[in-house]
Amino acid sequence: MAPTTKSYDFIVIGGGSGGSGAARRASGWYGAKTLLIENGKSGGTCVNVGCIPKKLTWNFASIAETLKDGVYYSYDIPPNISFNFADFKKKRDANVKNLNNVYERNWNREGIDLVHGIATFKGEKELEVRLQDGSGTATFTAPHILIATGGHPTKPEDIPGSEHGITSDGFFDIAELPKKMAFVGAGYIAVELAGVMNAIGVECHMFLRNETFLRHFDPMIQDTLTKRYEDAGITIHKNHQGFKEVVSLKHGTGSEKLLKLISHDGDAFECNELLWAIGRAPEIEELQPATAGVKLKPTGHVIVDEYQNTNISGIYALGDVTGQAELTPVAIAAGRALANRLFGSTHPRGGPHLAHAKLDYANIPTVVFAHPEVGTVGLTEPQAVARFGADAVKTYHTKFTAMYYDFHPADEKARNPTEYKLVCEGPEERIVGMHVLGVGSSEMMQGFAVAVKMGARKRDFDACVAIHPTSAEEVVTMR
């Protein structure tokens, strides 16, 4: 007997940040009959192998740094205080597991049906799901289907032995620390993970194709943070031409594992772990969106317009699967905006003003949980010059040592800079970019980002009374 097809108002494929945001808004706010299909752990990348465990690990590493700083504040703290990383990992895993349950409880409370399995398009409005419990398949239809399947980290396919390394997903499986670790990549994932490992005593080597990392960030951030990492003890192999082979010399975990990385010039480098941070790809293969006629980019990302519409009416996509600003809050905001547009414009809780709801992708703030933190919103200086012309752009810049380091030796102060930049445009000096680096930058960025989003001018910042003594006061006192 053929399986019965079940119909919904809204089907969401993927229970990560964006999918959850859309499903909860559609069902919880507007009463749309909603199905959520998830083929992994609830919460997606952010909860399981992204933002949450990353920030917890950053906290762990930051405590190690604070213990070292405490000596300069006259605390009798012995060097090399031991820690139990395996125990920390268990606590981190338990925290993630709790969030998995929180997500599912929220979906249940808001009337969302949850199916665990792998979805495949069988037509424009029809999905077949291979059920995770092994009981077979189920078929579902809806006039509105959202693709929010996210992405996954990649390994190079043309390097023999690349499988011996790990990606950011595998990073969170580490229970026994390696003594020596290599990071290939120059983006925020490599920077964040190398930063935490270095802070807790792992010998870290970063391999870059250029002179600096974070190449999409303002040059100030690139230059200062790259030097900061070198000063902190990370070995940065600049202008590296890449590896041609990875050889496993010894299997094991932690310091027992041994790899040999062979460069194109023949040089060999041995380490206990290798992390590939070379990019991410959309999680799209098993979904087979082409069956429904959905168009994809050459990279495999789903093509969408400003309203998250694909080329097929009634099929939408958002989040990492589209390649648009791959950040958790972006996916959540885009998901809520989509649900507002689809179901809120005719609902009493919404209104007609939601008929054209969409996410504005301009001036999205972001933070890199490096050591120290980096915050940014808007245009880099080169981007501003390219858009408005050099004559129309003026920058304000300051670099100093935060008060936190007042008792540190001079060499320690030099190794721990705080640096801010405002990028302004036109005679009104509208702030079109803000870039900050230093202790506390992640928290201060959110508030300043609101001002930049609202179109603040330099004189608006000047008119704000400073909060003293803080590092952030420098943003409103720059000359």
Side-chain angles (χ1 to χ4, degrees):
M1 182 177 176
T4 302
T5 299
K6 191 169 183 180
S7 298
Y8 286 85
D9 299 323
F10 191 34
I11 297 177
V12 178
I13 310 165
S17 302
S20 179
R24 292 186 64 186
R25 182 61 55 93
S27 180
W29 283 38
Y30 304 126
K33 185 180 179 183
T34 301
L35 170 68
L36 194 152
I37 304 168
E38 173 56 55
N39 69 348
K41 296 179 180 179
S42 298
T45 294
C46 175
V47 167
N48 295 285
V49 288
C51 323
I52 299 301
K54 180 271 302 286
K55 182 64 182 294
L56 291 171
T57 310
W58 183 85
N59 290 341
F60 180 85
S62 297
I63 290 171
E65 293 176 320
T66 302
L67 288 170
K68 295 176 183 177
D69 293 333
V71 172
Y72 302 118
Y73 277 81
S74 301
Y75 279 85
D76 187 13
I77 301 174
N80 302 316
I81 293 177
S82 63
F83 56 82
N84 189 330
F85 189 78
D87 185 63
F88 162 71
K89 180 185 181 300
K90 289 179 182 178
K91 293 178 179 178
R92 186 182 65 196
D93 291 348
N95 182 274
V96 168
K97 177 63 177 175
N98 178 62
L99 289 176
N100 297 148
N101 295 332
V102 168
Y103 265 67
E104 294 191 9
R105 286 198 300 270
N106 285 338
W107 296 336
N108 181 66
R109 186 180 68 247
E110 296 184 344
I112 299 166
D113 288 348
L114 173 62
V115 170
H116 289 283
I118 297 173
T120 303
F121 274 104
K122 292 301 178 183
E124 285 190 8
K125 299 296 186 292
E126 184 178 16
L127 292 163
E128 182 180 86
V129 178
R130 188 166 75 250
L131 300 173
Q132 202 171 69
D133 61 10
S135 61
T137 62
T139 306
F140 304 96
T141 64
H144 302 288
I145 297 176
L146 170 61
I147 301 171
T149 48
H152 61 268
T154 60
K155 296 179 182 181
E157 298 178 354
D158 57 347
I159 300 178
S162 63
E163 70 274 7
H164 298 306
I166 62 173
T167 64
S168 55
D169 285 4
F171 176 85
F172 297 106
D173 291 329
I174 294 175
E176 183 181 347
L177 292 175
K179 289 184 179 178
K180 185 177 181 181
M181 189 166 179
F183 299 80
V184 179
Y188 74 93
I189 292 175
V191 170
E192 290 181 334
L193 300 187
V196 299
M197 294 303 259
N198 178 70
I200 57 178
V202 176
E203 180 184 337
C204 294
H205 292 254
M206 298 183 71
F207 293 85
L208 314 182
R209 287 182 296 180
N210 296 287
E211 288 283 324
T212 59
F213 46 57
L214 298 179
R215 300 285 294 173
H216 296 296
F217 285 69
D218 191 85
M220 179 196 82
I221 300 296
Q222 295 180 41
D223 295 339
T224 299
L225 194 62
T226 299
K227 184 178 186 304
R228 168 69 180 94
Y229 268 41
E230 289 179 305
D231 290 343
I234 296 176
T235 301
I236 300 181
H237 303 258
K238 300 176 180 179
N239 300 307
H240 192 263
Q241 298 305 303
F243 297 107
K244 64 179 181 180
E245 186 179 3
V246 179
V247 180
S248 175
L249 299 179
K250 186 178 179 182
H251 294 290
T253 59
S255 60
E256 293 299 313
K257 180 178 179 180
L258 188 60
L259 302 175
K260 181 165 70 173
L261 317 183
I262 303 173
S263 300
H264 284 290
D265 60 8
D267 285 349
F269 176 85
E270 292 187 5
C271 60
N272 305 113
E273 190 57 273
L274 161 66
L275 187 140
W276 299 108
I278 58 173
R280 296 176 61 83
E283 194 69 54
I284 204 76
E285 290 184 5
E286 295 192 86
L287 186 60
Q288 298 179 24
T291 303
V294 175
K295 291 183 178 179
L296 308 177
K297 299 176 183 178
T299 57
H301 293 96
V302 179
I303 298 173
V304 294
D305 65 12
E306 61 185 326
Y307 291 96
Q308 313 300 151
N309 299 313
T310 70
N311 61 299
I312 301 299
S313 178
I315 300 181
Y316 319 92
L318 53 81
D320 290 6
V321 76
T322 68
Q324 295 176 292
E326 297 181 15
L327 300 165
T328 290
V330 172
I332 294 172
R336 290 172 176 169
L338 176 66
N340 284 341
R341 179 168 66 86
L342 297 180
F343 304 105
S345 62
T346 58
H347 192 277
R349 193 169 183 177
H353 65 285
L354 296 177
H356 300 286
K358 63 179 180 178
L359 174 63
D360 178 6
Y361 281 84
N363 289 325
I364 292 172
T366 188
V367 161
V368 181
F369 285 100
H371 294 259
E373 308 137 72
V374 166
T376 181
V377 63
L379 303 177
T380 65
E381 184 177 348
Q383 288 171 338
V385 169
R387 179 175 298 187
F388 304 112
D391 292 341
V393 174
K394 183 176 181 179
T395 62
Y396 293 85
H397 170 262
T398 183
K399 187 174 185 179
F400 59 97
T401 301
M403 186 178 178
Y404 179 82
Y405 298 103
D406 274 6
F407 299 149
H408 288 55
D411 59 337
E412 282 291 320
K413 291 179 180 179
R415 284 197 290 266
N416 289 280
T418 298
E419 193 168 13
Y420 302 153
K421 178 192 281 190
L422 296 178
V423 182
C424 303
E425 175 269 327
E428 288 286 303
E429 293 194 336
R430 179 172 61 95
I431 299 171
V432 296
M434 178 176 170
H435 311 279
V436 297
L437 177 152
V439 175
S441 291
S442 61
E443 295 293 342
M444 64 177 277
M445 189 72 248
Q446 185 69 79
F448 282 111
V450 174
V452 174
K453 184 75 174 179
M454 294 176 68
R457 301 156 298 179
K458 176 64 169 62
R459 66 174 178 266
D460 296 319
F461 275 31
D462 294 341
C464 182
V465 175
I467 301 172
H468 182 74
T470 64
S471 292
E473 69 182 290
E474 296 289 331
V475 176
V476 299
T477 58
M478 275 194 253
R479 292 291 182 267

